[in-house]
Amino acid sequence: MSGLIPVREVIVVEGRYDKNTLLQVFDAVIVETNGFGINNDAEKMALLRRLAASRGLVVLTDSDAAGFMIRSKLKGAIAPALVKHAYIPDIPGRERRKRRASKEGKLGVEGMERAVLIDALRRAGATMGGEESPGVRRAGISKADLYALGLAGGEGSAERRRALLRRLALPERLSANAMLDVLNALYTAEELRELVQEPQRSSMTAAPSTESSSIH
């Protein structure tokens, strides 16, 4: 896929380097928060509300603490029904323009490959190239499902949650509630059960049989 991909929603990013990267992939309106500047920019927030009402928003921030704080600010200020959240995976590294890696040592939006960015928006349910949002069909995962699958509320649940997020190329920083939102945009309850049970089946299949082993 070589041309720019049309995106109906307005994409919200942290800064100009993120915007420059996305403009090489998407034909879309892209608005910067100027990092934490959005916290004190009433006019920018009002603009984002208007854009959300007319086109919808896709929020795409870095997967570090700062990115999640900005995302949280937007969540609290704009009607949730008008906002979709796209997440990049945790990938260790440093952008070429920087002398040193970020505090958490992860690549930001500007350092992501084209395919990763396209996948992030598609999984968030963005309307791309005139296609219908794939997120519309996804629903049905509850907190009770997470508990039943050992992903919340029990001993070792946080560790299992992080392991699943790594497998799904989602940020490990996602809380149980944020993870629930993301999973409902990506999977059905049945698909989630299959994903959780798959490693268990694989480990059982891979277990060596003591009966068949022999020494020659």
Side-chain angles (χ1 to χ4, degrees), residues 5-26:
I5 301 173
V7 178
R8 182 184 188 280
E9 293 86 358
V10 174
I11 305 174
V12 182
V13 297
E14 293 181 49
R16 62 189 178 97
Y17 292 104
D18 301 328
K19 182 175 181 177
N20 290 342
T21 295
L22 292 182
L23 286 174
Q24 298 175 49
V25 182
F26 303 109

Side-chain angles (χ1 to χ4, degrees), residues 70-80 83 85 87 177-178 181:
I70 293 168
R71 193 183 290 275
S72 179
K73 174 71 176 181
L74 295 174
K75 278 185 176 181
I78 302 172
V83 183
H85 289 272
Y87 296 89
N177 286 337
D181 291 339

Side-chain angles (χ1 to χ4, degrees), residues 147-164:
Y147 181 83
L149 293 170
L151 298 172
E155 185 177 351
S157 60
E159 183 178 337
R160 283 190 288 274
R161 196 162 61 241
R162 285 193 295 270
L164 178 63

Side-chain angles (χ1 to χ4, degrees), residues 3 52 80 86 111 138 187 190 215:
R138 309 246 183 222
Y187 306 102
E190 181 59 33
I215 301 176

Side-chain angles (χ1 to χ4, degrees), residues 22-188:
L22 292 182
L23 286 174
Q24 298 175 49
V25 182
F26 303 109
D27 176 11
V29 176
I30 302 175
V31 179
E32 306 164 35
T33 67
N34 296 317
F36 289 121
I38 192 66
N39 292 341
N40 302 308
D41 193 337
E43 290 184 357
K44 176 67 69 66
M45 189 63 79
L47 171 62
L48 289 176
R49 290 194 187 98
R50 290 183 62 184
L51 292 171
S54 63
R55 297 274 296 273
L57 303 181
V58 176
V59 178
L60 181 61
T61 64
D62 292 349
S63 291
D64 58 8
F68 272 77
M69 289 175 69
I70 293 168
R71 193 183 290 275
S72 179
K73 174 71 176 181
L74 295 174
K75 278 185 176 181
I78 302 172
L82 304 177
V83 183
K84 297 172 181 177
H85 289 272
Y87 296 89
I88 58 172
D90 289 331
I91 300 178
R94 170 182 63 83
E95 286 80 9
R96 281 177 290 184
R97 70 177 179 87
K98 297 179 179 178
R99 288 188 172 184
R100 60 186 64 181
S102 66
K103 184 177 181 181
E104 296 184 23
K106 304 173 185 176
L107 287 175
V109 169
E110 67 171 284
M112 292 293 122
E113 297 289 339
R114 175 188 176 93
V116 174
L117 294 170
I118 294 172
D119 185 57
L121 261 68
R122 179 167 284 123
R123 295 171 76 182
T127 309
M128 301 165 63
E131 65 188 26
E132 289 299 316
S133 165
V136 172
R137 73 175 183 86
R138 309 246 183 222
I141 302 172
S142 66
K143 288 185 177 180
D145 291 320
L146 296 186
Y147 181 83
L149 293 170
L151 298 172
E155 185 177 351
S157 60
E159 183 178 337
R160 283 190 288 274
R161 196 162 61 241
R162 285 193 295 270
L164 178 63
L165 290 170
R166 284 195 296 270
R167 286 181 53 220
L168 301 181
L170 292 170
E172 294 178 35
R173 188 180 287 276
L174 287 177
S175 65
N177 286 337
M179 178 179 174
L180 184 62
D181 291 339
V182 174
L183 291 176
N184 267 311
L186 302 177
Y187 306 102
T188 64

